[in-house]
Amino acid sequence: MNSPTRRRVAEDKSWVLTPLLELPHVIHAAVISGDGFIEGSSPGLKRDSAEGVAAMMSALQGAGRAVTAAFAEKDDTRLRQTVIESDEGFVFAIPAGENTCLAVFAGPEVNMGVVAHHMQIQVTTLGNKVMNSPARDLGNPA
């Protein structure tokens, strides 16, 4: 009998969001896995909303890669940034390591350059922390 594959429980990465949430006009932020799971979110974001954001952002990132690859006629296209503008404000998303992205929601008055810059800083901080952390013994997956 085969045992079901279990998804590894990811470390909560909400700590990386704190400096972003302190920026003017930033409302929410989240760290999202490529398969649509929340790895960290801002304290004011309700769980069901966070899960919806994660699922939709995963799909959006996949669609972004696919449409870019089609336009560029290249299969190995990687996204650097996704920006959505609406009446409610902006959503920014950038890759944050292996199969992860960092997403920020900000009001319409936000300084886009400042947010994008600080997101890059936090991605670097996240990468340094993950790379310098000792490996955890996850035990027997069965």
Side-chain angles (χ1 to χ4, degrees):
M1 178 172 139
N2 291 339
S3 62
T5 303
R6 284 199 243 170
R7 184 178 184 280
R8 183 176 76 88
V9 175
E11 173 190 351
D12 184 1
K13 296 181 176 88
S14 297
W15 59 268
V16 79
L17 306 174
T18 302
L20 298 170
L21 294 168
E22 293 171 351
L23 296 173
H25 308 292
V26 170
I27 300 165
H28 290 298
V31 180
I32 301 164
S33 71
D35 51 358
F37 291 97
I38 281 288
E39 294 186 355
S41 64
S42 51
L45 189 60
K46 295 177 186 167
R47 179 136 183 101
D48 59 337
S49 294
E51 290 173 354
V53 165
M56 290 179 274
M57 187 56 67
S58 176
L60 181 63
Q61 293 288 292
R65 281 189 298 277
V67 74
T68 303
F71 270 130
E73 297 179 348
K74 294 178 78 178
D75 290 333
D76 60 345
T77 302
R78 293 187 330 195
L79 295 182
R80 291 187 185 166
Q81 176 176 264
T82 304
V83 179
I84 301 168
E85 181 179 6
S86 74
D87 292 342
E88 304 303 318
F90 295 90
V91 176
F92 305 88
I94 62 171
E98 186 73 28
N99 200 30
T100 303
C101 84
L102 178 61
V104 169
F105 174 58
E109 311 83 14
V110 74
N111 182 322
M112 295 172 64
V114 169
V115 172
H117 174 74
H118 283 276
M119 288 177 75
Q120 290 295 337
I121 291 170
Q122 290 312 106
V123 165
T124 300
T125 301
L126 179 61
N128 289 339
K129 168 114 170 93
V130 170
M131 295 304 291
N132 292 325
S133 297
R136 294 187 305 172
D137 181 6
L138 299 176
N140 185 353

Coordinates of all heavy atoms in Angstrom, one line a residue, residues 67-130:
V67 N 2.2 33.6 -21.0 CA 2.0 34.6 -22.0 C 3.3 35.2 -22.4 O 3.5 35.5 -23.6 CB 0.9 35.6 -21.5 CG1 1.5 36.6 -20.5 CG2 0.3 36.4 -22.7
T68 N 4.2 35.4 -21.5 CA 5.5 36.0 -21.9 C 6.3 35.0 -22.8 O 6.9 35.4 -23.8 CB 6.3 36.3 -20.6 OG1 5.6 37.2 -19.8 CG2 7.6 36.9 -21.0
A69 N 6.2 33.7 -22.4 CA 6.9 32.7 -23.3 C 6.3 32.7 -24.7 O 7.0 32.6 -25.7 CB 6.8 31.4 -22.6
A70 N 5.0 32.8 -24.8 CA 4.3 32.8 -26.1 C 4.8 34.1 -26.9 O 5.1 33.9 -28.1 CB 2.8 32.8 -25.9
F71 N 4.7 35.2 -26.3 CA 5.1 36.4 -27.0 C 6.6 36.4 -27.4 O 7.0 36.8 -28.5 CB 4.9 37.7 -26.1 CG 3.6 38.3 -26.3 CD1 2.8 38.6 -25.2 CD2 3.0 38.7 -27.5 CE1 1.6 39.3 -25.3 CE2 1.8 39.3 -27.7 CZ 1.1 39.6 -26.5
A72 N 7.4 35.9 -26.5 CA 8.9 35.9 -26.7 C 9.3 34.7 -27.6 O 10.5 34.6 -28.0 CB 9.7 35.9 -25.4
E73 N 8.4 33.7 -27.7 CA 8.7 32.5 -28.4 C 9.9 31.8 -27.8 O 10.8 31.3 -28.5 CB 8.9 32.7 -29.9 CG 7.6 33.3 -30.6 CD 7.8 33.6 -32.1 OE1 8.9 33.5 -32.6 OE2 6.7 33.8 -32.7
K74 N 9.9 31.8 -26.4 CA 10.9 31.1 -25.7 C 10.3 30.3 -24.5 O 9.4 30.9 -23.8 CB 11.9 32.1 -25.1 CG 12.8 32.8 -26.1 CD 13.7 33.8 -25.5 CE 14.9 33.1 -24.9 NZ 15.8 34.0 -24.3
D75 N 10.7 29.1 -24.4 CA 10.0 28.3 -23.3 C 10.6 28.6 -21.9 O 9.9 28.3 -20.9 CB 10.2 26.8 -23.6 CG 9.4 26.4 -24.8 OD1 8.3 27.0 -25.1 OD2 9.7 25.4 -25.5
D76 N 11.8 29.1 -21.8 CA 12.4 29.2 -20.5 C 12.3 30.6 -19.9 O 13.3 31.1 -19.3 CB 13.9 28.8 -20.6 CG 14.7 29.6 -21.6 OD1 14.1 30.3 -22.4 OD2 15.9 29.5 -21.5
T77 N 11.2 31.2 -20.0 CA 11.0 32.6 -19.6 C 10.7 32.6 -18.0 O 10.0 31.8 -17.5 CB 9.7 33.2 -20.3 OG1 10.0 33.2 -21.7 CG2 9.5 34.6 -19.8
R78 N 11.4 33.5 -17.4 CA 11.2 33.7 -15.9 C 10.7 35.1 -15.7 O 11.1 36.1 -16.3 CB 12.5 33.5 -15.2 CG 13.0 32.1 -15.2 CD 14.2 31.9 -14.4 NE 15.1 33.0 -14.2 CZ 16.3 33.0 -13.7 NH1 16.8 31.9 -13.4 NH2 17.0 34.1 -13.6
L79 N 9.7 35.2 -14.8 CA 9.2 36.5 -14.5 C 10.1 37.3 -13.5 O 10.7 36.6 -12.6 CB 7.8 36.4 -13.8 CG 6.7 35.8 -14.7 CD1 5.4 35.8 -13.9 CD2 6.5 36.6 -15.9
R80 N 10.2 38.6 -13.6 CA 10.9 39.4 -12.7 C 10.0 40.1 -11.8 O 10.2 40.4 -10.6 CB 11.8 40.4 -13.4 CG 12.9 39.7 -14.1 CD 13.9 40.8 -14.6 NE 14.9 40.1 -15.4 CZ 15.7 40.8 -16.2 NH1 15.6 42.1 -16.4 NH2 16.6 40.1 -16.9
Q81 N 8.8 40.5 -12.3 CA 7.8 41.3 -11.6 C 6.5 41.2 -12.3 O 6.4 41.2 -13.5 CB 8.3 42.7 -11.5 CG 7.4 43.7 -10.8 CD 8.0 45.1 -10.7 OE1 8.5 45.4 -9.6 NE2 7.9 45.9 -11.7
T82 N 5.4 41.2 -11.5 CA 4.1 41.3 -12.0 C 3.4 42.4 -11.2 O 3.5 42.5 -10.0 CB 3.3 40.0 -11.7 OG1 4.0 38.9 -12.3 CG2 1.9 40.1 -12.3
V83 N 2.8 43.3 -11.9 CA 2.1 44.5 -11.3 C 0.7 44.5 -11.9 O 0.5 44.4 -13.1 CB 2.8 45.8 -11.6 CG1 2.1 47.0 -11.0 CG2 4.3 45.8 -11.2
I84 N -0.3 44.6 -11.0 CA -1.7 44.8 -11.3 C -2.1 46.2 -10.8 O -1.9 46.5 -9.6 CB -2.5 43.7 -10.7 CG1 -2.1 42.3 -11.1 CG2 -4.0 43.9 -11.0 CD1 -2.7 41.2 -10.4
E85 N -2.7 47.0 -11.6 CA -3.3 48.3 -11.2 C -4.8 48.2 -11.3 O -5.3 47.7 -12.3 CB -2.7 49.4 -12.1 CG -3.2 50.7 -11.7 CD -2.7 51.9 -12.6 OE1 -2.0 51.6 -13.6 OE2 -3.0 53.0 -12.3
S86 N -5.4 48.6 -10.2 CA -6.9 48.7 -10.2 C -7.3 50.0 -9.5 O -6.5 50.8 -9.0 CB -7.4 47.5 -9.4 OG -7.2 47.7 -8.0
D87 N -8.6 50.2 -9.4 CA -9.1 51.4 -8.7 C -8.8 51.3 -7.2 O -8.7 52.3 -6.6 CB -10.7 51.4 -8.8 CG -11.1 51.8 -10.3 OD1 -10.3 52.3 -11.0 OD2 -12.3 51.5 -10.6
E88 N -8.6 50.1 -6.7 CA -8.3 49.9 -5.3 C -6.8 50.1 -5.0 O -6.5 50.2 -3.8 CB -8.8 48.5 -4.8 CG -10.2 48.2 -5.1 CD -11.2 49.2 -4.5 OE1 -10.9 49.6 -3.3 OE2 -12.1 49.6 -5.1
G89 N -6.0 50.0 -6.0 CA -4.6 50.2 -5.7 C -3.8 49.2 -6.6 O -4.2 48.9 -7.7
F90 N -2.6 48.8 -6.1 CA -1.7 48.0 -6.9 C -1.4 46.7 -6.1 O -1.3 46.6 -4.9 CB -0.3 48.7 -7.0 CG -0.4 50.0 -7.8 CD1 -0.7 51.2 -7.2 CD2 -0.3 49.9 -9.2 CE1 -0.8 52.4 -8.0 CE2 -0.4 51.1 -10.0 CZ -0.6 52.3 -9.4
V91 N -1.1 45.6 -6.9 CA -0.6 44.4 -6.4 C 0.7 44.2 -7.1 O 0.8 44.3 -8.3 CB -1.5 43.2 -6.8 CG1 -0.9 41.9 -6.3 CG2 -2.9 43.3 -6.1
F92 N 1.8 44.0 -6.3 CA 3.1 43.7 -6.8 C 3.5 42.3 -6.5 O 3.2 41.8 -5.3 CB 4.2 44.6 -6.1 CG 3.9 46.1 -6.2 CD1 3.1 46.7 -5.3 CD2 4.4 46.9 -7.2 CE1 2.8 48.1 -5.3 CE2 4.2 48.2 -7.3 CZ 3.4 48.8 -6.4
A93 N 4.1 41.6 -7.4 CA 4.6 40.2 -7.1 C 6.0 40.0 -7.7 O 6.1 40.4 -8.9 CB 3.6 39.2 -7.6
I94 N 6.9 39.5 -6.9 CA 8.2 39.2 -7.4 C 8.6 37.8 -6.9 O 8.2 37.4 -5.9 CB 9.3 40.2 -7.0 CG1 9.4 40.3 -5.5 CG2 8.9 41.6 -7.6 CD1 10.6 41.2 -5.1
P95 N 9.5 37.1 -7.7 CA 10.0 35.8 -7.2 C 10.8 36.0 -5.9 O 11.5 37.0 -5.8 CB 10.9 35.3 -8.4 CG 10.4 36.1 -9.6 CD 9.9 37.4 -9.0
A96 N 10.6 35.1 -5.0 CA 11.3 35.2 -3.7 C 12.0 33.9 -3.4 O 12.0 33.3 -2.3 CB 10.3 35.5 -2.6
G97 N 12.7 33.3 -4.4 CA 13.4 32.0 -4.2 C 12.8 30.9 -4.9 O 11.9 31.1 -5.8
E98 N 13.2 29.7 -4.6 CA 12.7 28.5 -5.3 C 11.2 28.3 -5.1 O 10.8 28.1 -4.0 CB 13.5 27.3 -4.8 CG 13.2 26.0 -5.5 CD 13.8 26.0 -6.9 OE1 14.9 26.6 -7.1 OE2 13.3 25.3 -7.7
N99 N 10.4 28.5 -6.2 CA 9.0 28.2 -6.1 C 8.2 29.0 -5.1 O 7.3 28.5 -4.5 CB 8.8 26.7 -5.9 CG 7.4 26.3 -6.4 OD1 6.8 26.8 -7.3 ND2 6.9 25.3 -5.7
T100 N 8.6 30.3 -4.9 CA 8.0 31.2 -4.0 C 7.9 32.6 -4.5 O 8.8 33.0 -5.3 CB 8.8 31.2 -2.6 OG1 8.9 29.9 -2.1 CG2 8.1 32.1 -1.6
C101 N 6.9 33.3 -4.2 CA 6.8 34.7 -4.5 C 6.4 35.6 -3.4 O 5.8 35.1 -2.4 CB 5.9 35.0 -5.8 SG 4.2 35.1 -5.4
L102 N 6.8 36.8 -3.4 CA 6.4 37.8 -2.5 C 5.4 38.8 -3.1 O 5.6 39.2 -4.2 CB 7.7 38.6 -2.0 CG 7.5 39.8 -1.1 CD1 7.0 39.3 0.3 CD2 8.9 40.4 -0.8
A103 N 4.3 39.0 -2.5 CA 3.2 39.8 -3.0 C 2.8 40.9 -2.0 O 2.8 40.7 -0.8 CB 2.0 39.0 -3.3
V104 N 2.6 42.1 -2.6 CA 2.2 43.3 -1.8 C 1.0 43.9 -2.4 O 0.9 44.1 -3.6 CB 3.4 44.3 -1.7 CG1 2.9 45.6 -1.1 CG2 4.6 43.7 -0.9
F105 N 0.1 44.3 -1.5 CA -1.1 45.1 -2.0 C -1.0 46.5 -1.3 O -0.8 46.6 -0.1 CB -2.4 44.4 -1.5 CG -3.6 45.2 -1.8 CD1 -3.9 45.6 -3.1 CD2 -4.5 45.6 -0.8 CE1 -5.1 46.4 -3.4 CE2 -5.6 46.3 -1.1 CZ -5.9 46.7 -2.4
A106 N -1.1 47.5 -2.2 CA -0.9 48.9 -1.7 C -2.0 49.8 -2.3 O -2.5 49.5 -3.4 CB 0.5 49.4 -2.0
G107 N -2.3 50.9 -1.6 CA -3.3 51.8 -2.1 C -2.8 52.6 -3.3 O -1.6 52.5 -3.7
P108 N -3.7 53.3 -4.0 CA -3.4 53.9 -5.2 C -2.3 55.1 -5.1 O -1.7 55.4 -6.1 CB -4.7 54.5 -5.7 CG -5.7 54.2 -4.7 CD -5.1 53.4 -3.6
E109 N -2.1 55.6 -3.9 CA -1.2 56.7 -3.7 C 0.2 56.2 -3.5 O 1.2 57.0 -3.4 CB -1.6 57.5 -2.4 CG -3.0 57.9 -2.3 CD -3.9 56.8 -1.8 OE1 -3.4 55.8 -1.2 OE2 -5.1 56.9 -1.9
V110 N 0.5 54.9 -3.5 CA 1.8 54.3 -3.2 C 2.9 54.8 -4.2 O 2.6 55.0 -5.3 CB 1.7 52.8 -3.1 CG1 1.6 52.2 -4.5 CG2 2.9 52.2 -2.3
N111 N 4.1 54.9 -3.7 CA 5.2 55.1 -4.5 C 5.7 53.8 -5.0 O 6.3 53.0 -4.2 CB 6.3 55.9 -3.8 CG 7.5 56.2 -4.6 OD1 7.9 55.4 -5.5 ND2 8.1 57.3 -4.4
M112 N 5.4 53.4 -6.2 CA 5.7 52.1 -6.8 C 7.2 51.7 -6.7 O 7.6 50.6 -6.4 CB 5.2 52.0 -8.2 CG 3.7 52.1 -8.3 SD 3.1 52.2 -10.0 CE 3.6 50.6 -10.6
G113 N 8.0 52.7 -7.0 CA 9.5 52.4 -7.0 C 10.0 52.1 -5.6 O 10.8 51.2 -5.4
V114 N 9.5 52.8 -4.6 CA 9.9 52.5 -3.2 C 9.5 51.1 -2.8 O 10.3 50.3 -2.2 CB 9.3 53.5 -2.2 CG1 9.5 53.1 -0.8 CG2 10.0 54.9 -2.5
V115 N 8.2 50.7 -3.1 CA 7.8 49.4 -2.8 C 8.6 48.3 -3.5 O 9.0 47.3 -2.9 CB 6.3 49.2 -3.1 CG1 5.8 47.8 -2.9 CG2 5.4 50.1 -2.2
A116 N 8.8 48.5 -4.8 CA 9.6 47.5 -5.6 C 11.0 47.3 -5.0 O 11.5 46.2 -4.9 CB 9.6 47.9 -7.0
H117 N 11.6 48.4 -4.6 CA 13.0 48.4 -4.1 C 13.0 47.7 -2.7 O 13.8 46.8 -2.5 CB 13.5 49.9 -3.9 CG 14.8 49.9 -3.2 ND1 16.0 49.6 -3.8 CD2 15.1 50.3 -1.9 CE1 16.9 49.8 -2.9 NE2 16.4 50.2 -1.7
H118 N 12.0 48.0 -1.9 CA 12.0 47.3 -0.6 C 11.6 45.8 -0.7 O 12.1 45.0 0.1 CB 11.1 48.0 0.4 CG 11.7 49.3 0.9 ND1 12.5 49.3 2.0 CD2 11.7 50.6 0.5 CE1 13.0 50.5 2.3 NE2 12.4 51.3 1.4
M119 N 10.8 45.5 -1.7 CA 10.5 44.1 -1.9 C 11.8 43.3 -2.3 O 12.0 42.2 -1.8 CB 9.5 43.9 -3.0 CG 8.1 44.3 -2.5 SD 6.9 44.2 -3.9 CE 6.6 42.4 -4.0
Q120 N 12.6 43.9 -3.1 CA 13.9 43.3 -3.5 C 14.8 43.1 -2.3 O 15.5 42.0 -2.1 CB 14.6 44.1 -4.6 CG 14.0 44.0 -5.9 CD 14.0 42.6 -6.5 OE1 14.8 41.8 -6.2 NE2 13.0 42.4 -7.4
I121 N 14.8 44.1 -1.4 CA 15.6 44.0 -0.2 C 15.1 42.8 0.7 O 15.9 42.0 1.2 CB 15.6 45.3 0.6 CG1 16.4 46.4 -0.1 CG2 16.2 45.1 2.1 CD1 16.2 47.8 0.5
Q122 N 13.8 42.7 0.8 CA 13.3 41.6 1.7 C 13.5 40.2 1.0 O 13.7 39.3 1.8 CB 11.8 41.9 2.0 CG 11.6 43.1 2.9 CD 12.5 43.0 4.2 OE1 13.5 43.7 4.3 NE2 12.2 42.1 5.1
V123 N 13.4 40.1 -0.3 CA 13.7 38.9 -0.9 C 15.2 38.5 -0.7 O 15.4 37.3 -0.4 CB 13.4 39.0 -2.4 CG1 14.0 37.8 -3.2 CG2 11.9 39.0 -2.7
T124 N 16.1 39.4 -0.7 CA 17.5 39.1 -0.4 C 17.6 38.7 1.0 O 18.3 37.7 1.3 CB 18.4 40.4 -0.7 OG1 18.2 40.7 -2.1 CG2 19.8 40.1 -0.4
T125 N 16.9 39.4 1.9 CA 17.0 39.0 3.4 C 16.4 37.6 3.6 O 17.0 36.8 4.3 CB 16.2 40.0 4.2 OG1 16.7 41.3 4.0 CG2 16.2 39.7 5.7
L126 N 15.3 37.3 2.9 CA 14.7 36.0 3.0 C 15.7 34.9 2.5 O 15.9 33.9 3.2 CB 13.4 35.9 2.3 CG 12.7 34.6 2.3 CD1 12.3 34.2 3.7 CD2 11.4 34.7 1.4
G127 N 16.3 35.2 1.4 CA 17.2 34.2 0.8 C 18.4 34.0 1.7 O 18.9 32.9 1.9
N128 N 19.0 35.1 2.3 CA 20.1 34.9 3.2 C 19.7 34.1 4.4 O 20.5 33.3 4.9 CB 20.6 36.3 3.6 CG 21.3 37.0 2.5 OD1 21.8 36.4 1.5 ND2 21.4 38.3 2.6
K129 N 18.6 34.4 5.0 CA 18.1 33.6 6.2 C 18.0 32.1 5.9 O 18.4 31.3 6.6 CB 16.8 34.2 6.7 CG 16.1 33.4 7.7 CD 16.1 34.0 9.1 CE 15.2 33.3 10.1 NZ 15.8 32.4 10.9
V130 N 17.3 31.8 4.7 CA 17.1 30.4 4.4 C 18.4 29.7 4.1 O 18.6 28.6 4.5 CB 16.1 30.4 3.2 CG1 16.0 28.9 2.6 CG2 14.7 30.8 3.6

